Amino acid sequence: MNAPQHVLVGVDGSDESLHALDWAAAFARRAGVELHVLSAYTLPGFTGSYSFAHDVPMVDDLYAKRYVEDLLARAHERVVATGVPATTEVTIADATTALAERSARSGLVVVGARGAGGFMERLLGTVSANLPVRSACPTVVVPGRARVDDGSLAADSLDRFGKVVVGVDGSPSSDAALQAAVAQARAWGAAVELVRAVSLVGWSGSPWLDPGFRESVLGGARAELDRDVARLRAEHPDLSVSADVVEGHASDVLADSSAAADLLVVGSRGRGGIRGLLLGSTSQAVLRRSHCPVLIPARASERAGSGRADGD
């Protein structure tokens, strides 16, 4: 991964967004780049009778702007206290759209897994589910559970990064995830572990299948994984690489693997699904359940890796 010009992070005042801010600051410090802190909001409103030509705001714009400017000032203080240079920006816009537009000028965009709820939910809301498929750069989603007693992410855990886990399944999306995982592992001086989930639910017990079907499928997955490992070790001899084939649904396997990881990398889609429109069901489930931050590569990197415009 080339060093980004800056890291972009979205904040809304929630604990989750502050955890994302801490993670983004640690990454920016490690990469030696600036952090750009963005808060985007819209004003809730209602449409009156036919005599009203436009929606009527339910919240005073000046109050909302002052509220957001105050939380950005506090976020800025939090970041510069770590020694990372930072800029801030307030914009009245849909948060996903604002972050996606600015991602074209960023090396990484970071958000919390959930927003603040209520009115402030409009600041981040469903960004973590929608942004990864619209972002021009990789997206990192930081879960709220990655917290310590004082409500922040511990600095030592942010800098530790002993292991990056990446989910692979042979699809173009997972190839992009593997490349991103290697880049992150090298940047942080961490080991990388490839995890291949194999689900045999509904197949292994079928009476018409060969008795050796299960071992044949698992053996094929192991052989593919071994080839990936051999290639990575040849290309990156200084990188610690391990791999594991686990029987089970991909979202369960990856969520379990995240408990012992510092970063989990997954593709935006696997082998199936609607092309290019939505974040895959496995990726969405992992975002909801992961114990560690989750990185999803940009869709453009998946299309480049596959050589096809649809990326699926």
Side-chain angles (χ1 to χ4, degrees):
M1 175 184 294
N2 296 327
Q5 293 182 354
H6 67 255
V7 175
L8 173 66
V9 58
V11 298
D12 66 358
S14 65
D15 286 345
E16 286 76 8
S17 76
L18 293 180
H19 302 329
L21 181 70
D22 290 342
W23 193 96
F27 182 92
R29 183 171 63 247
R30 184 83 176 201
V33 297
E34 184 177 83
L35 189 65
H36 186 61
V37 187
L38 173 74
S39 192
Y41 70 98
T42 57
L43 297 175
F46 70 92
T47 301
S49 66
Y50 65 87
S51 61
F52 287 96
H54 304 285
D55 287 353
V56 179
M58 295 174 62
V59 177
D60 181 75
D61 181 34
L62 182 59
Y63 169 80
K65 184 178 181 181
R66 286 176 177 172
Y67 180 93
V68 175
E69 287 176 341
D70 179 64
L71 77 86
L72 276 180
R74 287 183 275 116
H76 184 266
E77 292 178 359
R78 187 181 183 113
V79 172
V80 297
T82 68
V84 175
T87 57
T88 61
E89 178 186 359
V90 177
T91 183
I92 302 178
D94 169 71
T96 301
T97 300
L99 289 166
E101 289 176 349
R102 288 155 181 78
S103 70
R105 303 186 298 274
S106 307
L108 191 72
V109 57
V110 185
V111 294
R114 295 183 63 84
F119 160 64
M120 292 303 290
E121 183 71 12
R122 290 174 176 261
L123 302 188
L124 283 184
T126 58
V127 171
S128 61
N130 296 327
L131 180 60
V133 293
R134 297 181 57 186
S135 176
C137 69
T139 301
V140 172
V141 178
V142 181
R145 71 184 68 192
R147 67 182 68 186
V148 293
D149 291 341
D150 65 359
S152 65
L153 289 173
D156 59 346
S157 66
L158 286 168
D159 287 328
R160 185 179 69 251
F161 266 79
K163 182 167 68 172
V164 175
V165 171
V166 54
V168 296
D169 65 4
S171 67
S173 180
S174 79
D175 288 343
L178 181 56
Q179 294 174 21
V182 170
Q184 289 291 323
R186 292 182 63 84
W188 291 95
V192 61
E193 179 180 6
L194 285 63
V195 175
R196 176 75 177 263
V198 177
S199 178
L200 297 174
V201 176
W203 289 94
S204 58
S206 300
W208 58 83
L209 292 177
D210 184 279
F213 173 78
R214 175 178 176 275
E215 284 306 318
S216 175
V217 172
L218 292 175
R222 292 190 188 97
E224 287 187 15
L225 204 55
D226 287 343
R227 287 194 289 271
D228 287 336
V229 170
R231 175 169 56 86
L232 289 183
R233 287 175 175 166
E235 295 173 350
H236 308 283
D238 58 333
L239 184 65
S240 175
V241 182
S242 61
D244 194 15
V245 174
V246 183
E247 187 174 347
H249 191 277
S251 60
D252 296 331
V253 170
L254 293 175
D256 289 344
S257 298
S258 73
D262 297 291
L263 181 69
L264 175 64
V265 183
V266 296
S268 64
R269 301 205 67 84
R271 292 180 179 272
I274 302 174
R275 298 183 177 186
L277 297 181
L278 301 169
L279 193 64
S281 58
T282 295
S283 303
Q284 290 192 44
V286 169
L287 287 180
R288 292 193 300 268
R289 299 170 55 191
S290 179
H291 296 269
C292 70
V294 179
L295 184 147
I296 300 175
R299 295 282 305 175
S301 67
E302 296 176 10
R303 289 194 293 270
S306 67
R308 293 179 294 177
D310 57 39
D312 202 27

